[in-house]
Amino acid sequence: MSQQSNNEEPRPEIPTSGVVYGDIIYWGTIASAIIAVIGQIISFLTPNSAISPSILLAKIWEGKKVDGIWAGSGMARPEGEHWYIAQLATGEGLTMFGIALGVFIVIPAILASAYTMFTREGRPFFGVLAIIAALITIASFMGLLPSPMTAG
Amino acid sequence: MQTLMKKVPELSILIGLSIVAYFVMGAFNQVEDAAGLTGDGAFVLVLASFVLSTMIAIIAVIAGVGGGVLFTPIMMAFTSIDTLIIRSTGLVVAMFSGLVSSGPFMRKGLADVKIVFYCAIPIILGGMLGSYAAIALSEVMGAQGDAIVRLLLGLILVFIAILFIVGGSNTEYPEVKKVSPFSAWVNLKGAYYEESLGQVVHYQSTRVGLGGLLFLLVGFTGGFFGLGGGWAVVPVLNLVMTTPLKVSAAGSGVLLAMGNSAAIWPYIKYGALIAALAAPWMLGQVIGGIMGAHILARVKANFIRYVLIVLLFLTSFKLIARGLETMLGIDIPVL
């Protein structure tokens, strides 16, 4: 059996579930990039910032391990939490929030796409697959799986 | 370029914002000096990262891979940055190049939402397991762990480069000889309008069980090494699951973003993703990704593929050499 092509057929309808997913992701990514840029500006324009970007960058380029990089930067290494939420007033915290928003946006996009599959397109099987994919990502976001990492 | 700006006004906003942002950051920089890095030095590092990231994103999009395939190996081979930091940033690089391409691919109907959600589960699971394994290895083995990662990544790069050389075996419209009962049950059938032919192309993916298993492996490799998995997603969809090349390439970008989103959270929560380093790379991927996707039609993709192959081989030699140096305690004069 070969993949068939047909030049008399009208263009196939583009699934709404795909468009919904793509649009949420696209605009969410652009919003997250803008927030990250604003965060970076704040980082560089704040004298004696609570979390110093120069200390972080210097230690990163020295080749320090994760613990060593955070030591002396103004904040201890995060230990399994969404640390940037409590640091939104700092440039570094806002920048991290922007990046995290871009990573997070996948979850509502998958759920909205699944909803469209259930309600408008009548594709329950793929809707269920989408829900499972979203649940695994939520488990990772919330840190529900046992972690191999230790503090300190 | 002007047409591109008119076609994608959000790109103009992002580029304009970036130019203003970096001008303001450079002109009114208040960052204090740190040991070994002045405030101005920090700004130069951030600006250089942004420019380099934009260039990598354009090359990666044209070559049909995620930016992580270039970022992670080059940084691991040629800098002394901790491999865990590089891998977490590499995932951001890979993910954001996939994120920006998801919208256009879905709107044009090139990425098949059914294929995407079927393949998403194994790739997300694999990616998460890979990132957990990377963190565990870093904690348990330290420098030896880094050496193993460099050596393995070097070998994988050789494999990817060979995959690119024999990439001609990718088939535009693969022949489907037999549809297994499981593939028929999952029913990954679809159709898209092929502009170059002026026709609707129908397809049906097969060997979906084997494809699912391979995606678990692709996800693990991407999450563990911080590569993303774009380089492997297209061959699995196209050569194994007999999905047309265009649908495979579009699906690859979408799957890359989805898979990496689960893989990044363990790194963020561990503190291994540092915004000061990752943000300019992320921004460069967004801008370069949009630009690359739109100039793709006007450049000779083959030339970019040759550049990529040379880069992959050179970087792999350096990675293998650095890995062996640390593991065996010897000095190998390469590059």
Side-chain angles (χ1 to χ4, degrees):
Chain A
M1 187 166 73
S2 64
Q3 312 279 44
Q4 302 149 350
S5 59
N6 187 338
N7 57 2
E8 288 167 11
E9 202 179 332
R11 291 185 185 215
E13 201 176 314
I14 294 166
T16 314
S17 52
V19 177
V20 166
Y21 176 84
D23 279 350
I24 294 176
I25 290 283
Y26 188 75
W27 292 108
T29 307
I30 289 177
S32 76
I34 291 172
I35 293 172
V37 172
I38 295 169
Q40 273 196 296
I41 296 173
I42 295 173
S43 271
F44 274 79
L45 298 193
T46 309
N48 303 312
S49 178
I51 307 171
S52 166
S54 59
I55 292 176
L56 287 173
L57 285 170
K59 291 186 173 182
I60 288 171
W61 283 88
E62 270 176 40
K64 293 261 197 255
K65 290 273 177 196
V66 177
D67 284 325
I69 291 168
W70 285 99
S73 70
M75 192 186 127
R77 197 199 86 189
E79 291 179 18
E81 74 278 15
H82 293 277
W83 61 270
Y84 46 88
I85 303 282
Q87 298 287 342
L88 285 179
T90 66
E92 192 66 12
L94 188 62
T95 310
M96 192 65 226
F97 173 74
I99 296 173
L101 176 68
V103 181
F104 175 81
I105 204 72
V106 169
I107 295 173
I110 296 178
L111 290 174
S113 181
Y115 178 77
T116 313
M117 283 177 160
F118 283 121
T119 57
R120 283 201 209 169
E121 295 175 350
R123 292 176 174 170
F125 175 66
F126 292 99
V128 169
L129 290 183
I131 296 281
I132 295 171
L135 287 177
I136 301 169
T137 314
I138 290 169
S140 178
F141 165 70
M142 296 181 74
L144 295 180
L145 300 180
S147 163
M149 55 195 94
T150 55
Chain B
M1 191 69 182
Q2 273 182 333
T3 324
L4 182 59
M5 297 290 199
K6 273 184 194 163
K7 217 167 144 186
V8 195
E10 59 273 21
L11 179 63
S12 323
I13 296 170
L14 269 180
I15 292 177
L17 183 68
S18 306
I19 292 170
V20 171
Y22 287 115
F23 173 77
V24 170
M25 283 158 63
F28 306 103
N29 187 356
Q30 297 289 321
V31 171
E32 71 276 25
D33 296 348
L37 186 69
T38 62
D40 288 339
F43 169 71
V44 170
L45 266 181
V46 167
L47 182 64
S49 301
F50 167 71
V51 173
L52 206 56
S53 177
T54 307
M55 286 162 57
I56 282 181
I58 293 171
I59 292 175
V61 168
I62 293 169
V65 295
V69 171
L70 283 173
F71 171 85
T72 304
I74 289 174
M75 295 295 272
M76 264 197 216
F78 300 103
T79 73
S80 54
I81 298 176
D82 179 52
T83 62
L84 204 61
I85 301 288
I86 294 174
R87 284 179 278 171
S88 64
T89 312
L91 278 178
V92 168
V93 168
M95 180 179 181
F96 277 82
S97 62
L99 276 178
V100 286
S101 63
S102 294
F105 286 148
M106 285 293 196
R107 264 181 249 135
K108 285 178 188 166
L110 285 176
D112 184 325
V113 74
K114 292 191 294 179
I115 292 179
V116 163
F117 283 132
Y118 172 76
C119 301
I121 296 173
I123 212 167
I124 288 173
L125 270 177
M128 262 174 69
L129 291 174
S131 58
Y132 276 121
I135 292 168
L137 185 76
S138 167
E139 288 226 341
V140 174
M141 295 193 69
Q144 282 295 316
D146 285 354
I148 293 170
V149 168
R150 282 197 169 94
L151 184 62
L152 289 177
L153 183 57
L155 295 173
I156 286 176
L157 280 203
V158 172
F159 175 72
I160 297 173
I162 292 170
L163 207 63
F164 267 91
I165 292 169
V166 298
S169 59
N170 278 351
T171 324
E172 198 97 17
Y173 312 107
E175 290 279 319
V176 180
K177 297 211 165 58
K178 190 183 163 199
V179 179
S180 67
F182 181 62
S183 300
W185 181 75
V186 175
N187 196 23
L188 295 179
K189 270 184 184 170
Y192 73 101
Y193 184 76
E194 175 56 68
E195 298 275 354
S196 62
L197 299 174
Q199 288 180 347
V200 174
V201 174
H202 291 265
Y203 57 88
Q204 171 155 24
S205 298
T206 58
R207 294 195 284 263
V208 299
L210 175 63
L213 286 176
L214 288 172
F215 275 120
L216 193 66
L217 189 65
V218 169
F220 182 87
T221 315
F224 185 80
F225 291 106
L227 284 175
W231 55 275
V233 173
V234 176
V236 173
L237 282 175
N238 182 243
L239 299 176
V240 178
M241 292 172 65
T242 61
T243 310
L245 192 56
K246 207 169 247 185
V247 179
S248 304
S252 159
V254 180
L255 278 169
L256 200 62
M258 227 181 250
N260 289 350
S261 74
I264 289 176
W265 290 117
Y267 286 108
I268 290 180
K269 293 180 146 199
Y270 186 70
L273 185 69
I274 315 274
L277 178 73
W281 285 97
M282 164 214 175
L283 187 63
Q285 288 301 305
V286 174
I287 292 175
I290 299 174
M291 288 171 78
H294 284 86
I295 59 174
L296 179 61
R298 276 179 273 158
V299 295
K300 287 188 177 174
N302 264 350
F303 172 72
I304 299 289
R305 283 170 73 89
Y306 294 139
V307 172
L308 190 71
I309 289 165
V310 172
L311 272 175
L312 289 174
F313 270 124
L314 287 177
T315 311
S316 69
F317 295 149
K318 182 72 179 171
L319 278 169
I320 292 168
R322 281 192 72 180
L324 290 174
E325 278 175 346
T326 310
M327 287 173 75
L328 306 174
I330 55 171
D331 187 37
I332 305 172
V334 178
L335 294 175

